[in-house]
Amino acid sequence: MIFVNGKPHDMPDHATISELLAGLSIDPEAPGIAVAVDSEIASRGAWASHQVHDGAHVEIVTATQGG
Amino acid sequence: MSETLTIAGRELTSRLLLGTGGFTRLQTLGDAIDASRAELVTVAMRRLDPSAEGSVLDVIADKGVQVLPNTAGCFTARDAVRTAKLAREALGTDWVKLEVIGDERTLLPDAPELLAAAEELVDDGFVVLPYTNDDPVLARRLEDVGCAAVMPLGSPIGSGMGIANPANLTLIVEQAGVPVILDAGVGTASDAALAMELGCDAVLCASAISRALDPVAMARAIALGVEAGVLARGAGRIERRTHARPSSPLAGMPEFAE
C-alpha cells in the first residue's frame, strides 16, 4: 500500500508513477502537474520508469487559484 | 519612472499583478485579467483533485499571461523550497512568489525562514519575488541574497487595510535596487494609487479585486489607480503645509461700502 495525497492507495508491486497516474484517471500528458515521492520531486521525464515502493508517500499537485 | 517594469530582465507593460485567489467563477477571473491588464498572475500549488472541472491554468493560457506560482500556506523554509520546486516542475517557470508565513492569524511573514528560503532558491536558479514585512532592513537583506524584487505588505493579506506604514514603505523604496511591489493590504483603487505615489514599482492585488462586489469593475479601477499614482509621482506633488496658501491673488480686491 502507498499513500497518495494523504490517502491510502492499493497498488501492485513495482508499478511506476505513470501507471499510478493512469490508475487515478490522471492524464500524464496534461500540463501543470508535478509529483513528489517521499518529499523528493520526481521529474516528468522519469515517471515512466520511476517505480513507487511500498509505503511511499506520493504527492500529486497542480496549480489552483491563490493569492 | 519608465513606461515599463523590468523584473529579472523581463519587460512588463503593466504595473499591476493579479492574484487569482477568491474569484468565485473562472469566467470572472478571466474578465478581471482583461480589465486589470495584468501580465503576471499568481497561482497556488495544491493537491490535484481529479474531479475538479476547469482550471485556473486554462484561463491563464487563454489570456496569454505569465503564471507566477506562490508558496502560500508554507510555514517553513523547507516547505516553501519544496513547493517552489514542485511549481517549477509543474509549470515550467523558475519564477516564484515566495511566501513563508509565521502566524496563522495575521499571515505575517516569518523573517528568518523567508530569508533562508530566498537564499536557497536564488542559489538554485529561481527568480525570487519575496512577500515580506514592511521592514527596510529585511528588504535589504532579501535584495542582498539575490531576490529579483521585494514585495512588502501594506497591511495583512486580505485585510483591505491599505498601507499601514507609509514611512517604512518609503524607506524601502528609497534604498531598493530592485523593483518594489506592494503586496497585500490593498482595499481599493486609492490604496494602489498611494503605493505608486510613494514610489513603488508595481502593486499586487488579489482579494481587493476578487472579493469586491463587482470584481471586474474593481480590476479596472485599481489599474487606473496604479496609472494615476505613477503619473502623480512623476508630476511632483506640492509640499504639505500647516496653514493655507491662497490660490487667488490678494492684490486687487474691490472694496465695498458699509
Side-chain angles (χ1 to χ4, degrees):
Chain A
M1 188 173 68
I2 63 169
F3 295 88
V4 178
N5 286 350
K7 290 181 183 165
H9 185 80
D10 284 320
M11 210 177 71
D13 287 347
H14 308 302
T16 64
I17 292 174
S18 293
E19 288 161 353
L20 169 66
L21 294 176
L24 294 166
S25 304
I26 298 168
D27 177 7
E29 301 298 316
I33 299 172
V35 176
V37 180
D38 293 334
S39 302
E40 291 296 321
I41 290 167
S43 64
R44 187 176 280 263
W47 288 354
S49 59
H50 187 135
Q51 295 180 357
V52 183
H53 66 88
D54 190 47
H57 288 260
V58 180
E59 293 287 336
I60 306 170
V61 303
T62 189
T64 188
Q65 286 177 241
Chain B
M1 189 174 275
S2 68
E3 291 280 306
T4 58
L5 165 67
T6 303
I7 303 174
R10 185 184 154 95
E11 200 167 283
L12 301 160
T13 55
S14 172
R15 292 180 179 275
L16 177 57
L17 287 62
L18 183 65
T20 61
F23 286 93
T24 51
R25 294 175 61 232
L26 290 174
Q27 173 70 45
T28 312
L29 168 61
D31 292 344
I33 291 173
D34 287 340
S36 69
R37 298 183 186 162
E39 295 163 276
L40 269 179
V41 175
T42 70
V43 294
M45 302 305 297
R46 290 294 179 269
R47 286 172 166 171
L48 178 76
D49 174 8
S51 65
E53 286 181 26
S55 162
V56 65
L57 290 178
D58 296 337
V59 179
I60 288 171
D62 181 49
K63 297 299 176 187
V65 292
Q66 182 184 339
V67 66
L68 175 62
N70 69 25
T71 62
C74 293
F75 282 75
T76 62
R78 189 196 69 158
D79 285 359
V81 167
R82 283 179 177 164
T83 302
K85 289 179 178 176
L86 279 170
R88 179 166 66 182
E89 177 69 18
L91 305 175
T93 176
D94 52 14
W95 286 45
V96 63
K97 180 192 160 188
L98 178 63
E99 294 183 38
V100 189
I101 300 304
D103 177 64
E104 280 186 39
R105 195 167 63 92
T106 60
L107 299 180
L108 291 172
D110 185 312
E113 294 289 315
L114 178 68
L115 191 60
E119 191 161 16
E120 187 173 344
L121 289 169
V122 168
D123 287 347
D124 198 14
F126 280 88
V127 173
V128 180
L129 289 68
Y131 164 63
T132 175
N133 293 295
D134 56 1
D135 173 355
V137 176
L138 179 57
R140 192 174 62 219
R141 294 289 299 273
L142 288 163
E143 182 178 338
D144 287 346
V145 300
C147 290
V150 289
M151 306 183 71
L153 55 82
S155 48
I157 292 170
S159 71
M161 294 274 282
I163 298 169
N165 194 336
N168 270 26
L169 192 59
T170 301
L171 289 173
I172 291 171
V173 165
E174 282 173 357
Q175 69 178 19
V178 293
V180 177
I181 303 169
L182 182 85
D183 185 7
V186 168
T188 187
S190 53
D191 296 331
L194 177 59
M196 302 310 289
E197 287 175 27
L198 292 173
C200 289
D201 297 281
V203 171
L204 192 152
C205 275
S207 303
I209 292 172
S210 65
R211 298 198 163 104
L213 203 55
D214 183 342
V216 179
M218 187 58 88
R220 185 81 193 110
I222 289 179
L224 289 169
V226 167
E227 197 178 326
V230 171
L231 282 170
R233 168 91 174 171
R237 61 154 297 149
I238 61 166
E239 286 183 22
R240 288 186 170 83
R241 301 163 61 96
T242 305
H243 300 294
R245 180 184 181 187
S247 53
S248 304
L250 298 172
M253 282 287 291
E255 288 185 14
F256 301 102
E258 288 295 318

